[in-house]
């Protein structure tokens, strides 16, 4: 056993949709401080002997000039703390440190209260608020990072994550950059390669949701699903992609969701064949399919639902043929969502149905490699839409997406009658002890149910303002 403490430093930056510290509201119905505390304890027990884990919250990200992106905490940091402010760091010691006659297992460093900034940007908790609202005992200001409490930080021998290099500059990130810089005062072994140990621990923990997480996550799925149903009703010839995006996001907000879990994808016609199409700029839609991959973020957790429906409210023969293959593939994929079975079995089951269906329609030859289903069939879902989690055996408490698709872009080497058809159907599946539970089952997806729902009037038709 090393006489040194091993410090593993993890900085995770989401690649988009970040930050500004503004407007902190602590959700009355989100995860409890007890949840976060228990998660820290579970993590602590998995650290190597004398190890310490250090996490930093996300930086603020500048949008343009003096406007920032809405702040989104780092998911690992939020999972372990519930804290939603930048310029913060968390240290968890594997073996408690005796400091001032007290056992210290964990320390959180936060930004100070600042009445002037708070008038502009919203309330900060400050050390006292973090103690009171988040239940931390040892809270220090961020300018004391690795200096308080009084202990010999020099005995720390950390492993540095290469992700350190990813720190972005900018006026709002100086404090974070300063904290990270301070880690260089520790006894860092520069030759230590990127350390994935902490990532692996976090992956295992976050992949299996606790009952408290499931409650919040299921709410995110319900909100996302209800928004889809309202969008079905609002789609009539003449609408725009962006207006339909607005219907989804209006329902999210009206139901209390704070954000979308990822950039909303609303693509009509050939746009439905672009996997991560987020421009959503096509107007005056008249015919063809519209693919909607949209999910709400509720108390940090994201839904991830896709439905594809006909703009006219009725599927054409070709659209129906492709749609039915994808629907059958989805059901085959969901059937493969069983505890103890292999994650890859879901993809194999769905892909087999897609391949056979395409052969039957004469779109590909038996055994032919094709590009009509170019993505995997699913991923973990949670605080991140593509959540942390391994792709081995399925366990009760995991939540996955199953999302087969067929995309035939214009110009493809098939009869032009198939061009511009893009279909994806995506459900959110909880693995249970007995099998699985489809959390998004209530969102219509058979041809008949979709066509029936689309006959109803939606919020767009009831708007009082002229959309001109
Ligand atoms: N919404 C992105 C995905 O389905 O993976
Ligand atoms: Mn997905
Ligand atoms: Mn999706």
């Amino acid at each position: 056993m090393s006489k040194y403490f091993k410090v593993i430093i993890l900085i995770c930056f989401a690649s988009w949709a970040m930050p500004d510290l503004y407007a902190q509201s602590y959700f009355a119905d989100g995860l409890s401080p007890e949840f976060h505390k228990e998660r820290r304890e579970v993590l602590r027990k998995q650290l190597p002997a004398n190890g310490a884990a250090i996490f930093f919250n996300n930086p603020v990200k500048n949008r343009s000039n003096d406007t920032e992106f809405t702040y989104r905490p780092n998911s690992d940091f939020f999972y372990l703390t519930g804290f939603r402010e930048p310029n913060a760091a968390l240290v968890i010691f594997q073996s408690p440190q005796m400091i001032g006659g007290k056992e210290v297992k964990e320390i959180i460093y936060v930004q100070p209260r600042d009445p002037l900034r708070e008038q502009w940007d919203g309330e900060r908790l400050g050390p006292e608020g973090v103690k009171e609202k988040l239940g931390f005992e040892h809270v220090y200001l961020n300018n004391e990072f690795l200096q308080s409490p009084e202990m010999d930080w020099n005995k720390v021998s950390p492993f540095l994550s290469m992700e350190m290099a990813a720190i972005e500059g900018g006026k709002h990130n100086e404090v974070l950059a300063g904290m990270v810089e301070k880690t260089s005062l520790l006894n860092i072994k520069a030759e230590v390669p990127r350390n994935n140990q902490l990532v692996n621990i976090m992956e295992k923990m976050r992949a299996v949701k606790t009952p408290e997480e499931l409650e919040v996550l299921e709410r995110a799925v319900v909100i996302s699903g209800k928004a889809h149903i309202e969008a079905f009703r609002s789609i009539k010839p003449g609408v725009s992609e962006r207006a339909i995006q607005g219907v989804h996001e209006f329902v999210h907000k009206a139901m209390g969701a704070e954000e979308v879990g990822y950039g909303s994808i609303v693509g009509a016609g050939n746009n439905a064949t672009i996997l991560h199409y987020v421009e959503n700029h096509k107007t005056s839609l008249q015919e063809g399919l519209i693919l909607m991959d949209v999910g709400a973020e509720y108390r940090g957790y994201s839904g991830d639902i896709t439905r594809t429906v006909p703009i006219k409210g009725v599927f054409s023969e070709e659209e129906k043929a492709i749609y039915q293959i994808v629907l059958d593939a989805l059901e085959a994929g969901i059937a493969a969502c069983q505890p103890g079975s292999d994650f890859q079995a879901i993809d194999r089951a769905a892909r087999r149905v897609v391949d056979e269906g395409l052969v039957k329609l004469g779109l590909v030859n038996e055994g032919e490699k094709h590009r009509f289903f170019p993505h995997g069939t699913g991923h973990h879902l949670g605080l991140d839409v593509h959540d942390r989690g391994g792709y081995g055996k399925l366990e009760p408490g995991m939540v996955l997406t199953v999302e087969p698709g067929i995309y035939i872009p214009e110009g493809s080497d098939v009869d032009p009658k198939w061009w511009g058809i893009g279909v994806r159907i995506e459900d959110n599946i909880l693995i249970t002890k007995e099998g699985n539970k489809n959390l998004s089952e209530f969102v219509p997806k058979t041809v008949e149910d979709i066509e029936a729902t689309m006959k109803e009037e939606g919020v767009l038709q009831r708007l009082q303002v002229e959309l001109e």
Side-chain angles (χ1 to χ4, degrees), residues 262 265 293-294 303-306 379 385-386 401 403 424 426:
Y262 51 94
I265 298 166
D293 183 346
V294 190
D304 184 13
I305 299 176
T306 308
H379 52 82
V385 61
H386 293 176
T401 69
E403 50 179 309
R424 176 162 69 254
E426 177 173 25

